[in-house]
């Protein structure tokens, strides 16, 4: 437990996530919690509970549930600094956890029983009551003994006056939203999507560079089609250069795709 792992994974010159320090704080009955909706490579919900000056953290792929029959996989991840509880924003591309982060719920919680939350976690089972806007009432988090993955836990809602059998999780951001692309990456991305799929919109701007990258086969093809056009057009000498570029672009848009299809 501690923030070493957290700090090791991040470059604080680039990300706006808090650098953080472990806070010494008198143990209070009510501790803070935050749940962040995190659109990283895969959408997940980061479930963080204050414990001994840091936020103990679990990544919950499907998000928490108020339905007692839902058992949510919760992968324990590195402790986060307390300041992370108010973080939301964009973790830049190329950095650990790149993507949008939004606070989904926050509030306080209290552990049930005599043992401290940290002691309960060490034993592999935490029983607690949440006082959030979305999450309320008793929850249990326990380590899955059957799993080979030692960080695999389950998060379940305990039936009480707050539990809801028809509950459905509401996201803050639409599914699949990612961080904004930094400049400079744009052309590379367009290039990749241009090749991999039948992207219609992105071709226009990249045709020139893609032609130069595809190597001799493509180049020959383009030269051939250009020659053909020249021959058939006859009087095309007077044509403005721009329209010719467009024609080439159209050609190169269809040709490689047809080739891919027949392979
Ligand atoms: Mn996360």
């Amino acid at each position: 437990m501690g923030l070493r792992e957290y700090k090791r994974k991040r470059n604080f010159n680039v990300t706006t996530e808090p650098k953080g320090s472990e806070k010494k704080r008198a143990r209070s009955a009510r501790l803070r919690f935050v749940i962040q909706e995190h659109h990283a490579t895969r959408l997940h919900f980061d479930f963080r509970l204050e414990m001994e000056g840091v936020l103990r953290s679990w990544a919950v792929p499907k998000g928490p549930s108020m339905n007692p029959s839902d058992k949510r996989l919760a992968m324990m991840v590195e402790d986060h600094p307390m300041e992370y509880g108010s973080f939301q924003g964009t973790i830049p591309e190329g950095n650990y956890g790149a993507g949008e982060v939004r606070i989904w719920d926050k509030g306080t919680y209290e552990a049930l029983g005599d043992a401290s939350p940290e002691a309960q976690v060490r034993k592999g089972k935490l029983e607690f009551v949440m006082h959030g806007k979305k999450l309320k009432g008793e929850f249990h988090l326990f380590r899955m003994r059957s799993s080979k993955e030692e960080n695999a836990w389950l998060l379940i809602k305990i039936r009480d006056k707050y539990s809801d059998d028809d509950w459905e999780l509401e996201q803050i951001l639409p599914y699949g939203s990612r961080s904004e692309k930094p400049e400079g990456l744009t052309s590379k991305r367009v290039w990749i999507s241009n090749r991999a799929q039948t992207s219609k919109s992105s071709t226009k701007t990249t045709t020139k560079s893609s032609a130069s990258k595809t190597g001799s086969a493509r180049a020959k093809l383009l030269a051939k089609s250009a020659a053909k056009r020249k021959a058939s057009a006859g009087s095309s000498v007077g044509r403005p250069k721009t329209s010719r570029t467009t024609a080439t672009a159209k050609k190169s848009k269809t040709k490689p795709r047809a080739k891919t299809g027949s392979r």
Side-chain angles (χ1 to χ4, degrees):
M1 182 160 168
L3 296 177
R4 259 197 22 223
E5 181 76 354
Y6 174 86
K7 289 182 178 174
R8 188 184 63 75
K9 285 180 172 172
R10 288 167 178 81
N11 177 359
F12 295 102
N13 296 322
V14 184
T15 184
T16 54
E17 295 165 286
K19 197 163 180 219
S21 58
E22 278 148 75
K23 297 272 189 304
K24 296 280 171 259
R25 197 162 173 259
R27 188 185 293 169
S28 55
R30 286 205 176 187
L31 299 161
R32 276 175 276 178
F33 85 85
V34 65
I35 297 159
Q36 280 143 329
E37 182 178 321
H38 185 182
H39 293 252
T41 312
R42 289 220 171 82
L43 170 68
H44 61 271
F45 292 76
D46 289 301
F47 192 95
R48 309 190 197 279
L49 302 174
E50 176 184 3
M51 262 171 240
E52 298 185 358
V54 295
L55 290 168
R56 290 228 105 174
S57 299
W58 289 261
V60 185
K62 289 186 176 174
S65 176
M66 290 295 283
N67 183 345
S69 53
D70 287 337
K71 292 177 174 61
R72 297 302 201 212
L73 175 68
M75 297 301 293
M76 189 182 246
V77 297
E78 76 272 20
D79 298 340
H80 280 52
M82 285 306 299
E83 292 94 319
Y84 214 94
S86 53
F87 174 76
Q88 45 185 358
T90 307
I91 302 173
E93 284 293 330
N95 288 269
Y96 180 72
E100 295 288 339
V101 177
R102 293 290 183 282
I103 293 171
W104 183 83
D105 196 14
K106 69 191 293 183
T108 60
Y109 82 97
E110 54 196 315
L112 297 170
D114 296 328
S116 74
E118 178 55 27
Q120 293 188 42
V121 165
R122 273 199 300 269
K123 283 191 169 170
K125 184 170 188 185
L126 174 63
E127 303 183 349
F128 57 109
V129 173
M130 315 253 332
H131 307 282
K133 289 197 177 75
K134 292 179 171 129
L135 298 189
K136 291 178 166 68
E138 187 174 349
F139 283 80
H140 290 179
L141 251 174
F142 52 91
R143 188 180 279 128
M144 284 170 73
R145 299 204 183 280
S146 54
S147 175
K148 273 171 266 171
E149 183 66 67
E150 62 171 332
N151 291 325
W153 292 59
L154 285 179
L155 173 68
I156 56 162
K157 176 77 190 89
I158 303 304
R159 194 168 288 282
D160 58 16
K161 64 175 175 176
Y162 299 110
S163 58
D164 179 357
D165 293 313
D166 299 317
W167 192 85
E168 274 180 45
L169 182 140
E170 278 178 32
Q171 285 178 213
I172 295 168
L173 295 170
Y175 188 85
S177 63
R178 286 290 314 259
S179 63
E180 280 145 1
K181 310 166 218 168
E183 304 223 9
L185 263 182
T186 319
S187 67
K188 195 184 169 196
R189 286 191 156 204
V190 173
W191 165 243
I192 288 163
S193 72
N194 191 11
R195 236 167 127 195
Q197 327 151 354
T198 53
S199 144
K200 281 167 198 158
S201 56
S202 57
T203 348
K204 227 171 192 171
T205 51
T206 43
T207 317
K208 256 188 178 163
S209 65
S210 57
S212 66
K213 278 176 193 165
T214 13
S216 57
R218 266 289 281 292
K220 258 184 217 162
L221 223 146
L222 287 173
K224 216 172 151 187
S225 67
K228 220 172 163 185
R229 241 197 336 278
K230 213 174 172 184
S232 65
S235 61
S236 71
V237 224
R239 255 210 249 153
K241 219 173 188 173
T242 43
S243 77
R244 199 202 221 152
T245 318
T246 318
T248 313
K250 266 186 192 152
K251 210 79 189 190
S252 70
K253 212 158 63 175
T254 48
K255 274 280 150 80
R257 237 189 290 154
K259 208 174 167 188
T260 314
S262 63
R263 223 184 286 160

